[in-house]
């Protein structure tokens, strides 16, 4: 038990040292004491970053839902597992107990089975933040099907791409979804997507908004009547520790999104252990993570991590601004939230509204505050600390990625002294390294480099679905024997890390990773566009907003630029989703390129950010003359 709940800084250092000196025995002890295995492993860890291949707890057998549900029934059967807070504050919250969850997951899993879903099949889940989303993924896990959740704000084209890439045979969706005062026709988006997805033969539809929708005979079925007829008992399928649990897509710096594949055993162990420590979770806490389950944060820290600890986890359907900007605080007060985990973009949006909404609410239940998704700026950090936590609730600035499965660099509350904008220390078992541009590790403190991880941890993604070569190229080729994160970081004099942002072509807008390539591809589909380049520029609320530089084809005609801007954003909305819309579009005669034809985004980024005092080395540019023109016309 001793290593499972770390309570002070000295203990952190002790446990940390133990975890890196002998990772195998450390993780074996955690795995043995705190989880339910049908059969123990033959080997704790085997790995080779050159191939790359990582295996944890090989030979072990388990089902993750037995760990997240069944084993709590005896002691926590009547405890709330999922506390659902609907979009409309007038609609009653739902308390789903562990016993209810057990029956609901079994029923859903029986329906999936009856519809022909078997172990290893891929099921796409395209649902809003309603309890069925959590139940659906657990039902997949119960029978060994691999879930692929697609965020229900993505467009039909983005959805179709993901369905086809994973070769899903079923889609689970709803008639519609609520977002504040709006409702969205989710089923319509699915119908459009499925015109291009020949492999899908079944669509299960949850009734939520009760809007009129098309039901395609033979393909589409309402879920509820099927659940009503299904048994609420089902023996979980026994899985290997290394069997895939889910696929989750993340943007890359080129083309197709990457379907990150997570395993069963290692993912369970790491998400549960991090959840317990990073949030200092105690039995009667009410924990709320505001993320969407469509992102990794929701997978690991709304569903699997909390449920593996028998926690009460809140699922919120709505948005922070509806019915007004006090909604989050309303929920904190109403449910006496103890841990609150959100994103810097939400903090900035709420901070902009001042403290009037906060002052009318009792936030005294809060013990720990968390942030994730992008670097948090100093102002937002202090606003959160002063007004939400009243300087009594430590802020855990948690750095991690879809690829890492769980939190990697973070303070441990009440142990690690926090420092604004610093994610602070590596979590237990995590061995970071900062690398210079020549591929050498920068040792010592006060370093600035590219963040890599030297040694595998249990929840590292095992591959990219259907493209192991890309997995190798993206994460294991930049530095020998290292996992490369794509982020830059600083390390201070006490060894604290500060993540400075992406060093590749991914831009984080409101906490969402957007690859530049797919957006540029979308823009280039406009018939008058010749070329484009996207960069991020600082934005008060979103963190970064998108700035597009677009060159037009020579047609001799003059074009209305405002109309073109609208049309370009329309294409982006259709292909990727409204998240990826550009805030500014500048039309230009040329884009700065290197002799090898690579667009020099570094320069475009500086111009968009109005930081042109030092553009750096432009000597390798093929067409330096376009830089002045771009600077003269910057928006
Ligand atoms: C969990 C998640 C991953 C990227 C990551 C980094 C950025 C996440 C951060 C942070 C600074 C933090 N990021 N947390 N940057 N401080 N606390 O967000 O996963 O959507 O895959 O994004 O987000 O750039 O590389 P994902």
């Amino acid at each position: 038990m001793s290593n499972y709940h770390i309570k002070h800084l000295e203990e952190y250092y002790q446990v940390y040292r133990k975890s890196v000196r002998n990772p195998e025995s450390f993780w074996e002890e955690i795995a043995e004491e705190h989880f339910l295995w049908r059969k123990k492993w033959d080997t704790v860890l085997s790995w080779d970053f050159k191939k790359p291949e990582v295996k944890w707890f090989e030979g072990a057998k388990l089902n993750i839902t037995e760990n997240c549900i069944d084993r709590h029934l005896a002691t926590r059967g009547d405890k709330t597992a999922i506390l659902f807070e609907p979009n409309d504050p007038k609609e009653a919250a739902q308390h789903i107990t562990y016993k209810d969850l057990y029956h609901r997951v079994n029923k859903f899993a029986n329906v999936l089975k009856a519809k022909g879903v078997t172990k290893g099949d891929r099921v796409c889940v395209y649902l809003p933040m309603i309890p069925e989303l959590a139940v659906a993924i657990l039902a997949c896990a119960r029978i060994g099907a691999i879930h692929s959740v697609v965020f229900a704000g993505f467009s039909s084209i983005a959805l179709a791409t993901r369905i086809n890439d994973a070769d899903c045979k079923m889609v689970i969706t709803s008639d519609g979804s609520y977002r504040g005062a709006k409702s969205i026709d989710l089923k319509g988006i699915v119908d459009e997507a499925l015109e291009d997805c020949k492999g899908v033969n079944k669509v299960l539809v949850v009734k939520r908004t009760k809007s009129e929708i098309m039901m395609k005979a033979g393909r589409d079925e309402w879920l509820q009547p099927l659940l009503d007829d299904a048994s609420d008992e089902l023996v979980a399928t026994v899985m290997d520790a290394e069997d895939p649990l889910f696929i989750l897509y993340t943007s890359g710096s080129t083309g197709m999104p990457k379907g990150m594949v997570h395993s069963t055993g290692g993912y369970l162990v790491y998400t549960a252990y991090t959840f317990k420590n990073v949030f200092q979770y105690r039995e009667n806490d009410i924990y709320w993570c505001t993320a969407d389950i469509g992102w990794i944060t929701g997978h690991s820290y709304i569903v699997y991590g909390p449920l593996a600890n028998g926690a009460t986890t809140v699922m919120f359907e709505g948005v922070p601004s509806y019915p007004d900007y006090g909604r989050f605080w309303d929920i904190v007060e109403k449910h006496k939230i103890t841990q609150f985990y959100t994103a810097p973009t939400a903090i900035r949006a709420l901070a902009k509204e001042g403290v009037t909404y906060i002052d009318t609410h009792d936030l005294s239940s809060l013990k720990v505050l968390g942030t994730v998704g992008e670097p948090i700026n100093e102002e937002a950090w202090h606003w959160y600390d002063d007004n939400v936590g009243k300087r009594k609730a430590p802020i855990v600035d948690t750095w991690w990625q879809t690829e890492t499965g769980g939190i990697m660099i973070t303070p441990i509350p009440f142990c690690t002294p926090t420092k604004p904008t610093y994610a602070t220390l590596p979590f237990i078992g995590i061995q970071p390294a900062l690398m210079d541009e020549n591929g050498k590790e920068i040792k010592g403190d006060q370093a600035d480099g590219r963040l890599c991880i030297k040694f595998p941890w249990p929840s590292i993604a095992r591959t990219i679905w259907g493209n192991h070569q890309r997995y190798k190229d993206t994460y294991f080729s930049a530095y020998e024997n290292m996992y490369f994160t794509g982020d830059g970081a600083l390390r201070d004099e006490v060894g604290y890390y500060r993540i400075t942002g992406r060093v590749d072509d991914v831009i984080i807008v409101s906490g969402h990773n957007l690859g530049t390539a797919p957006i540029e591809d979308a823009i280039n589909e406009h018939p008058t566009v010749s070329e484009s380049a996207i960069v991020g520029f600082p934005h008060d609320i979103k963190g970064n907003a998108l700035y597009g530089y677009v060159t037009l084809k020579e047609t001799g005609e003059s074009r209305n630029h405002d109309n073109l801007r609208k049309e370009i954003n329309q294409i982006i909305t259709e292909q990727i989703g409204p998240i990826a819309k550009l805030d500014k579009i500048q039309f230009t005669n040329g884009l700065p390129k290197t002799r090898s034809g690579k667009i020099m985004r570094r320069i475009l980024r500086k111009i968009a950010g109005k930081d042109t005092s030092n553009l750096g080395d432009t000597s390798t540019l093929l067409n330096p003359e376009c830089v002045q023109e771009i600077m003269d016309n910057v928006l």
Side-chain angles (χ1 to χ4, degrees):
M1 282 306 256
S2 59
N3 294 329
Y4 201 60
H5 214 168
I6 292 146
K7 288 170 225 65
H8 51 85
L9 192 61
E10 213 24 65
E11 189 180 353
Y12 159 81
Y13 281 115
Q14 273 165 16
V15 179
Y16 181 78
R17 278 193 293 268
K18 186 168 157 188
S19 74
V20 300
R21 269 190 207 135
N22 197 339
E24 279 94 341
S25 71
F26 175 80
W27 288 110
E28 175 160 52
E29 193 184 312
I30 297 286
E32 220 154 38
E33 284 183 22
H34 303 283
F35 301 92
L36 184 69
W37 304 90
R38 292 286 194 97
K39 173 185 170 286
K40 294 270 163 75
W41 41 91
D42 305 317
T43 322
V44 179
L45 169 68
S46 58
W47 67 290
D48 179 351
F49 276 175
K50 288 201 173 65
K51 285 184 179 171
E53 185 181 87
V54 177
K55 290 180 176 166
W56 283 92
F57 310 116
E58 211 183 348
K61 306 259 183 213
L62 76 159
N63 186 288
I64 197 165
T65 68
E66 291 187 330
N67 281 275
C68 290
I69 309 173
D70 304 41
R71 69 176 166 139
H72 305 309
L73 293 176
T75 49
R76 303 187 179 99
D78 295 319
K79 176 176 174 177
T80 302
I82 295 175
L83 202 174
F84 173 60
E85 173 67 26
N87 177 63
D88 179 353
K90 292 200 273 308
E91 191 183 322
Q94 288 176 33
H95 293 256
I96 300 167
T97 65
Y98 273 94
K99 218 186 279 164
D100 298 336
L101 187 62
Y102 173 78
H103 293 305
R104 286 177 70 161
V105 168
N106 281 340
K107 274 178 171 279
F108 207 136
N110 274 316
V111 169
L112 296 178
K113 252 177 123 173
K115 296 295 164 197
V117 178
T118 56
K119 181 174 167 177
D121 285 345
R122 273 80 59 207
V123 173
C124 172
V125 183
Y126 187 69
L127 280 172
M129 281 288 286
I130 54 178
E132 286 79 0
L133 170 49
V135 174
I137 68 176
L138 291 164
C140 288
R142 189 122 181 121
I143 60 170
I146 301 170
H147 55 79
S148 170
V149 180
V150 177
F151 171 56
F154 277 143
S155 71
S156 60
I157 296 174
L159 174 61
T161 309
R162 287 159 176 77
I163 290 174
N164 287 332
D165 183 69
D167 201 6
C168 295
K169 63 195 286 194
M170 179 190 270
V171 178
I172 303 169
T173 188
S174 65
D175 48 358
S177 70
Y178 293 121
R179 256 190 98 69
K182 284 190 284 192
S183 68
I184 295 156
D185 174 20
L186 277 197
K187 178 60 167 51
I189 297 172
V190 171
D191 291 337
E192 239 178 84
L194 292 190
E195 281 172 24
D196 298 320
C197 303
K198 297 295 159 252
V200 174
N201 53 35
K202 188 57 59 200
V203 178
L204 299 180
V205 186
V206 178
K207 195 170 263 183
R208 177 60 184 144
T209 55
K210 304 194 177 68
S211 41
E212 279 282 311
I213 57 164
M214 189 273 285
M215 291 292 277
K216 186 170 171 185
R219 187 193 71 184
D220 305 350
E221 276 184 88
W222 289 106
L223 179 69
Q224 195 56 50
L226 301 172
L227 291 175
D228 291 342
D229 290 344
S231 159
D232 60 7
E233 291 294 337
L234 173 114
V235 180
T237 301
V238 179
M239 306 296 288
D240 288 332
E242 279 296 320
D243 276 338
L245 174 64
F246 65 85
I247 302 171
L248 187 63
Y249 286 86
T250 185
S251 308
S253 52
T254 54
M256 278 290 288
K258 297 172 288 191
M260 303 314 307
V261 179
H262 280 284
S263 72
T264 305
Y267 179 81
L268 167 68
V269 169
Y270 195 76
T271 54
Y273 183 60
T274 45
F275 174 77
K276 179 101 177 175
N277 285 291
V278 173
F279 299 101
Q280 287 290 307
Y281 167 74
R282 305 282 159 146
E283 187 62 36
N284 295 315
D285 288 346
I286 310 284
Y287 160 88
W288 180 22
C289 165
T290 70
D292 192 290
I293 293 176
W295 308 115
I296 190 67
T297 307
H299 280 61
S300 302
Y301 299 110
I302 295 178
V303 183
Y304 290 111
L307 295 179
N309 282 283
T312 298
T313 175
V314 174
M315 264 183 89
F316 175 46
E317 184 184 26
V319 293
S321 54
Y322 179 79
D324 61 36
Y325 278 97
R327 187 64 193 279
F328 273 7
W329 319 129
D330 209 35
I331 296 172
V332 168
E333 179 173 0
K334 178 172 163 191
H335 298 301
K336 301 203 168 37
I337 303 295
T338 45
Q339 288 94 347
F340 177 74
Y341 190 28
T342 195
T345 183
I347 297 167
R348 288 189 296 264
L350 293 166
K352 200 165 159 261
E353 302 302 315
V355 291
T356 30
Y357 291 108
I358 289 199
D359 288 346
T360 49
H361 290 96
D362 175 7
L363 306 184
S364 61
S365 56
L366 291 171
K367 295 192 296 191
V368 175
L369 303 177
T371 128
V372 57
E374 60 182 307
I376 182 166
N377 50 308
E378 192 140 4
E379 203 183 335
W381 196 97
H382 283 297
W383 186 87
Y384 200 27
D385 187 38
D386 292 345
N387 300 297
V388 182
K390 323 279 183 209
R391 297 191 183 185
K392 286 198 301 253
I395 296 176
V396 289
D397 176 355
T398 63
W399 173 84
W400 58 295
Q401 311 178 294
T402 305
E403 296 84 339
T404 69
I407 293 168
M408 301 288 281
I409 299 183
T410 179
I412 293 181
F414 311 107
C415 300
T416 319
T418 56
K419 177 172 177 182
T421 76
Y422 281 73
T424 74
L425 297 170
F427 188 74
I428 305 300
I430 302 307
Q431 304 187 36
L434 293 179
M435 309 298 290
D436 70 16
E437 295 202 353
N438 304 319
K440 272 185 58 193
E441 183 173 355
I442 312 167
K443 302 266 185 174
D445 298 330
Q446 300 194 307
D448 177 356
R450 288 160 184 234
L451 180 60
C452 289
I453 314 288
K454 291 185 194 177
F455 195 87
W457 59 101
S459 66
I460 182 175
R462 302 298 196 257
T463 188
I464 291 174
W465 183 263
N467 199 345
H468 198 69
Q469 186 61 42
R470 189 175 179 199
Y471 177 68
K472 179 175 177 171
D473 294 345
T474 311
Y475 306 106
F476 299 93
S477 304
Y479 303 99
E480 212 187 331
N481 266 323
M482 300 258 178
Y483 165 81
F484 174 49
T485 66
D487 284 321
L490 308 174
R491 187 169 50 221
D492 76 0
E493 64 288 350
V494 294
Y496 276 17
Y497 288 85
R498 176 186 185 165
I499 314 303
T500 48
R502 305 290 307 181
V503 294
D504 57 12
D505 295 336
V506 173
I507 305 170
I508 301 189
V509 178
S510 299
H512 300 150
N513 286 10
L514 299 172
T516 52
I519 302 175
E520 288 163 5
D521 289 347
I523 299 170
N524 299 350
E525 282 189 21
H526 190 285
T528 69
V529 170
S530 149
E531 252 193 327
S532 60
I534 303 298
V535 296
F537 70 100
H539 185 279
D540 285 352
I541 293 180
K542 301 184 199 177
N544 293 298
L546 299 179
Y547 193 116
Y549 297 90
V550 175
T551 63
L552 297 173
K553 290 181 182 150
E554 296 291 346
T555 59
E557 296 165 56
S558 72
R559 297 266 176 188
N560 178 320
H561 281 179
D562 284 336
N563 285 346
L564 278 180
R565 289 189 176 98
K566 276 191 203 127
E567 288 164 23
I568 287 171
N569 269 328
Q570 182 60 31
I571 300 179
I572 294 173
T573 303
E574 280 161 17
Q575 303 226 347
I576 298 154
I579 285 173
K581 280 205 285 200
L582 309 184
D583 274 39
K584 295 184 182 178
I585 301 177
Q586 176 178 355
F587 295 100
T588 154
N589 287 320
L591 297 170
K593 287 193 187 157
T594 62
R595 277 159 215 282
S596 63
K598 254 188 159 250
I599 297 171
M600 251 208 210
R601 281 170 218 283
R602 177 168 62 73
I603 293 176
L604 294 173
R605 212 176 289 130
K606 286 207 155 183
I607 298 175
K610 307 245 161 76
D611 167 24
T612 50
S613 52
N614 175 15
L615 285 181
D617 180 16
T618 54
S619 63
T620 57
L621 281 182
L622 196 62
N623 52 347
E625 68 287 350
C626 75
V627 174
Q628 193 58 47
E629 183 224 313
I630 292 175
M631 288 207 294
D632 291 343
N633 297 310
V634 67
L635 300 173

